[in-house]
Amino acid sequence: QVQLVESGGRLVQAGDSLRLSCAASGRTFTMVWFRQAPGKEREFVAGISGSGISTYYADSVKGRFTISRDNTKNTVYVQMNSLKPEDTAVYYCAARSGFASSSSREYPYWGQGTQVTVSS
């Protein structure tokens, strides 16, 4: 069983930066970040392979967000720069044993989420 614990979410101003962390128990997996804004579906944000060599981004965050991982700490990070009000959402970390997928249905392991609020 894999347990995921996110942290780092808070209220920030537009243009600010924020780094979210996701600590995982167990073996290394493909790990991703999704987000869900009120009234919207959960959407893929970024993903990283188990080795950390391959990364994937949604078009909406490409160039602003950077995903990384430290396998010595079993932790994945997403550095979020130039934040916009439309980035406001609950951010979830998820993991699976296969290749990264942008479909939330492909992920059996989820964290509890961390709230990011970007004020204008």
Side-chain angles (χ1 to χ4, degrees), residues 18-104:
L18 194 62
R19 189 178 80 160
L20 305 182
S21 301
C22 174
S25 64
R27 54 181 289 200
T28 300
F29 282 77
T30 291
M31 295 183 73
V32 299
W33 289 93
F34 282 81
R35 67 186 181 186
Q36 188 166 20
K40 295 188 177 181
E41 293 188 355
R42 194 167 294 191
E43 64 170 351
F44 173 81
V45 174
I48 189 165
S49 62
S51 65
I53 292 175
S54 299
T55 57
Y56 315 88
Y57 296 95
D59 288 342
S60 58
V61 306
K62 202 170 293 183
R64 299 188 298 122
F65 290 13
T66 302
I67 191 170
S68 61
R69 68 189 299 157
D70 183 344
N71 284 342
T72 65
K73 298 180 180 179
N74 280 346
T75 300
V76 171
Y77 308 95
V78 60
Q79 176 68 40
M80 306 186 294
N81 298 329
S82 302
L83 283 162
K84 305 174 181 179
E86 51 263 45
D87 293 318
T88 295
V90 177
Y91 284 71
Y92 296 92
C93 177
R96 70 188 297 254
S97 58
F99 292 109
S101 169
S102 60
S103 171
S104 61

Side-chain angles (χ1 to χ4, degrees), residues 10-18 80-84 118:
R10 62 183 177 90
L11 172 65
V12 296
Q13 302 277 343
D16 283 354
S17 297
L18 194 62
M80 306 186 294
N81 298 329
S82 302
L83 283 162
K84 305 174 181 179
V118 184

